[in-house]
Amino acid sequence: MSRLPDPCVFVIFGGAGDLASRLLLPALCNLKATGLLPTGFALIGVARSEMTDDSFRAQTCAALEKTATGVAANDRQWICERLHYVKGDFDDPQTYSALGKRLPEMQQASSAGPSALFYLATPPSYFAPIVRQLGAAGLVREDPGKWRRVIIEKPFGRDLASAETLNSEILSVLSESQTYRIDHYLGKETVQNIMALRFANGLFEPLWNRNHIDHVQITVAETLGVEHRGRFYDATGALRDMVPSHLFQLLSLTAMEPPTCFDADQVRVEKTKVLNAVHFGQKEAQADVVRAQYTAGVAAGQKMNAYRNSPDVRSDSDTETFVAMKLRIANWRWTGVPFYLRTGKSLAKRRTEILIRFKRAPLALFHEVTDAELVPNDLILHIQPDEGVSLRFNAKVPGQQFRLGDVNMDFKYGDYFQEEPRTGYETLLYDCMIGDATQFQRADTIEAGWKIVQPVLDLWAAKPGAPPQYAAGSSGPQEADALMERDGRQWRSLDTNGTHKV
Ligand code: BG6
């Protein structure tokens, strides 16, 4: 991170909303504090509420005092001085003509230059209409020295067909290089570190294949329930919400081939190839997927109501809040190595991690140790919380007898690197402003992800019914354990004490 972005105007559709005040604007304050915003910079919030520049500024600045706490007051102030507002409906052409008039004013007032980034922090039903209107108003036309880019939030579609339609609507107005489909997992340092770990070290890559790896587990466990998002979540469920986006990003970073260089297209080609190599049809949807819904319990010390008793959730809802699946990647490197994925709400621990289990040593050469007592080596990438990497291996327990104990080597980010205040959006916003799309999803990657889960969506639509249950605060349903036990394996426990211990 060293190149300064071109002067530009940052336009947020949904600028008065939660995402903008909680994450996007604090991220911009953090970028300002680290010297990564151009001096020529202005921000326009677009929303329906009746507000003026002054009232939008006052409201946003008050919110930033609570949400951008890690930055100096003068950096917050710098952002606040550059805030402007356009009131309007997202499907009304007048909104876009008003915006078209304000953009050149920003060039005058804030030396913001002709380039602009449009961030769609809106409900997904507005993604295509906004892009269409931006196109009709001529706001996404590029010229030499003038770029126009659009960041689109998730969810990108709700199945394969809707994702394809959305892609084609968007790409009828924008070029792929103007389109930045966001997955906030790609903004996480530890997710970006997967590539550094694999490709900046000579140690791991020779072992990173079917000859040495027994299986891989990818876990995204949350302790929170659906909170205030019942309406969205009940129509979405854990599979759509998490798997084609966040879990598949973790999967492709773990399984991809080394790219020829760190160019956005080269990296994304390799990631997409992984998803294209997952062969998942009706048979697998039937046999290798478990869904479940949480009932009342205690998660992270909090008493939780059953999912069905959450606000805005139907009292007879069959929506899954947990999903586990087994995938096979049919390529030279991974054939025969299962990848197990699980994610759920209201679980025992908040933990996102990737476990790489290596094959056991072939033979116990030591007296009193049986083959079964040799612990397999696990490399665990701790994505969050307690970011780091740990490696589990056997060591001799001191004493006269030759006994083995399993031990860990731990790397914790916090021990080596100073943490800067972050919302997780800094890298993504900065990358978009400098035109680096590596950490954004391409149309084909999105569609490849939906292609894998589509047979599961079809099966569930054909066979609706109450999913199995798990108690809030537990490690998930026993059906998920059975998915592993069938293959003679077990999930890494969510209950382990000490985040880095196995
Ligand atoms: C979002 C999902 O994309 O990711 C949420 O819609 C989920 O349901 C969230 O809670 C998890 O993100 P993080 O960064 O807290 O792991």
Side-chain angles (χ1 to χ4, degrees):
M1 272 202 178
S2 52
R3 181 149 75 85
L4 215 52
D6 297 331
C8 60
V9 183
F10 196 112
V11 180
I12 307 181
F13 286 88
D18 191 50
L19 179 69
S21 62
R22 217 166 33 83
L23 296 168
L24 304 181
L25 281 144
L28 290 170
C29 291
N30 291 337
L31 284 176
K32 166 66 185 134
T34 41
L36 290 170
L37 282 187
T39 346
F41 182 81
L43 187 143
I44 304 180
V46 184
R48 266 186 238 116
S49 327
E50 197 64 63
M51 274 192 283
T52 60
D53 277 355
D54 286 342
S55 53
F56 174 64
R57 204 169 290 144
Q59 172 182 310
T60 309
C61 295
L64 282 180
E65 275 177 32
K66 298 198 191 90
T67 55
T69 45
V71 287
N74 56 339
D75 289 321
R76 262 198 326 260
Q77 187 55 30
W78 190 91
I79 294 285
C80 289
E81 281 163 10
R82 285 160 178 77
L83 297 177
H84 306 268
Y85 187 72
V86 168
K87 177 207 168 312
D89 279 329
F90 301 147
D91 38 23
D92 180 356
Q94 286 192 358
T95 307
Y96 300 82
S97 51
L99 191 55
K101 289 200 191 96
R102 293 305 294 275
L103 285 171
E105 287 170 25
M106 301 298 111
Q107 290 179 41
Q108 295 266 302
S110 310
S111 315
S115 298
L117 182 167
F118 302 96
Y119 196 116
L120 311 193
T122 67
S125 54
Y126 285 115
F127 295 164
I130 292 176
V131 169
R132 222 178 293 128
Q133 297 274 3
L134 285 171
L139 295 178
V140 286
R141 220 177 14 244
E142 298 191 306
D143 291 314
K146 167 186 159 191
W147 52 256
R148 295 287 162 109
R149 298 176 188 141
V150 180
I151 298 188
I152 301 169
E153 260 297 331
K154 92 174 245 292
F156 198 94
R158 49 177 289 107
D159 55 17
L160 178 59
S162 57
E164 285 172 341
T165 307
L166 186 54
N167 269 330
S168 75
E169 285 182 307
I170 285 169
L171 294 175
S172 68
V173 177
L174 303 172
S175 66
E176 181 63 47
S177 65
Q178 291 178 287
T179 312
Y180 289 70
R181 299 172 195 79
I182 216 162
D183 179 328
H184 78 276
Y185 262 56
L186 293 174
K188 293 183 192 285
E189 284 291 340
T190 34
V191 173
Q192 292 174 25
N193 188 45
I194 300 172
M195 281 213 279
L197 182 92
R198 288 192 55 197
F199 304 133
N201 295 294
L203 174 63
F204 301 111
E205 209 42 32
L207 304 179
W208 211 264
N209 56 52
R210 69 191 148 85
N211 298 326
H212 301 281
I213 292 179
D214 176 72
H215 74 277
V216 176
Q217 297 182 18
I218 299 180
T219 298
V220 180
E222 298 183 82
T223 47
L224 292 179
V226 285
E227 312 281 285
H228 57 278
R229 298 167 72 224
R231 197 179 308 276
F232 160 77
Y233 197 87
D234 205 36
T236 305
L239 180 70
R240 286 189 169 95
D241 188 35
M242 300 294 287
V243 176
S245 47
H246 309 325
L247 276 98
F248 282 178
Q249 285 299 330
L250 299 177
L251 171 77
S252 25
L253 286 164
T254 307
M256 70 193 272
E257 294 301 316
T260 46
C261 63
F262 278 103
D263 161 82
D265 270 324
Q266 293 305 324
V267 171
R268 295 187 299 172
V269 161
E270 294 305 337
K271 285 167 70 179
T272 309
K273 276 201 254 169
V274 172
L275 299 179
N276 285 334
V278 173
H279 291 175
F280 207 81
Q282 273 174 5
K283 194 167 113 257
E284 289 77 12
Q286 181 85 48
D288 296 338
V289 183
V290 166
R291 63 173 154 162
Q293 188 188 76
Y294 67 84
T295 56
V298 178
Q302 295 279 331
K303 213 165 153 272
M304 307 275 302
N305 286 331
Y307 171 71
R308 288 182 177 185
N309 294 333
S310 309
D312 298 323
V313 167
R314 292 161 298 154
S315 58
D316 59 351
S317 170
D318 291 337
T319 299
E320 80 288 354
T321 59
F322 176 99
V323 62
M325 60 203 292
K326 170 181 167 182
L327 300 177
R328 295 175 192 82
I329 301 175
N331 65 16
W332 199 264
R333 186 189 285 259
W334 292 118
T335 293
V337 181
F339 283 70
Y340 300 93
L341 276 52
R342 65 177 161 166
T343 182
K345 298 226 178 259
S346 293
L347 289 169
K349 288 269 160 62
R350 174 171 184 252
R351 185 175 291 173
T352 298
E353 66 183 24
I354 301 168
L355 174 144
I356 319 285
R357 168 143 309 169
F358 290 90
K359 291 183 174 166
R360 229 181 260 280
L363 181 65
L365 286 173
F366 311 98
H367 296 306
E368 295 142 19
V369 179
T370 64
D371 289 2
E373 282 167 333
L374 288 177
V375 297
N377 299 127
D378 286 342
L379 179 71
I380 304 173
L381 316 186
H382 304 272
I383 306 293
Q384 65 184 19
D386 300 308
E387 291 77 0
V389 178
S390 59
L391 179 66
R392 175 202 203 194
F393 56 99
N394 291 292
K396 181 181 176 299
V397 178
Q400 283 64 49
Q401 285 178 320
F402 206 107
R403 285 194 301 119
L404 294 178
D406 71 285
V407 297
N408 269 294
M409 262 184 337
D410 274 351
F411 151 64
K412 291 187 186 148
Y413 260 74
D415 292 346
Y416 286 81
F417 305 114
Q418 208 188 336
E419 305 266 338
E420 285 171 352
R422 292 179 61 82
T423 72
Y425 276 74
E426 289 78 0
T427 310
L428 297 171
L429 301 185
Y430 171 81
D431 281 358
C432 180
M433 285 188 271
I434 61 163
D436 180 352
T438 314
Q439 310 295 354
F440 292 83
Q441 306 204 74
R442 239 173 30 181
D444 54 344
T445 323
I446 298 254
E447 291 173 19
W450 281 114
K451 234 171 248 164
I452 299 173
V453 300
Q454 189 61 48
V456 186
L457 296 173
D458 292 343
L459 179 76
W460 292 353
K463 284 193 185 166
Q469 297 182 329
Y470 61 101
S474 70
S475 296
Q478 56 197 25
E479 286 78 356
D481 296 337
L483 181 76
M484 291 292 251
E485 281 156 14
R486 197 177 78 178
D487 296 345
R489 300 188 172 103
Q490 280 186 333
W491 294 106
R492 183 169 119 87
S493 168
L494 285 183
D495 284 325
T496 44
N497 281 326
T499 44
H500 281 224
K501 292 277 178 282
V502 179

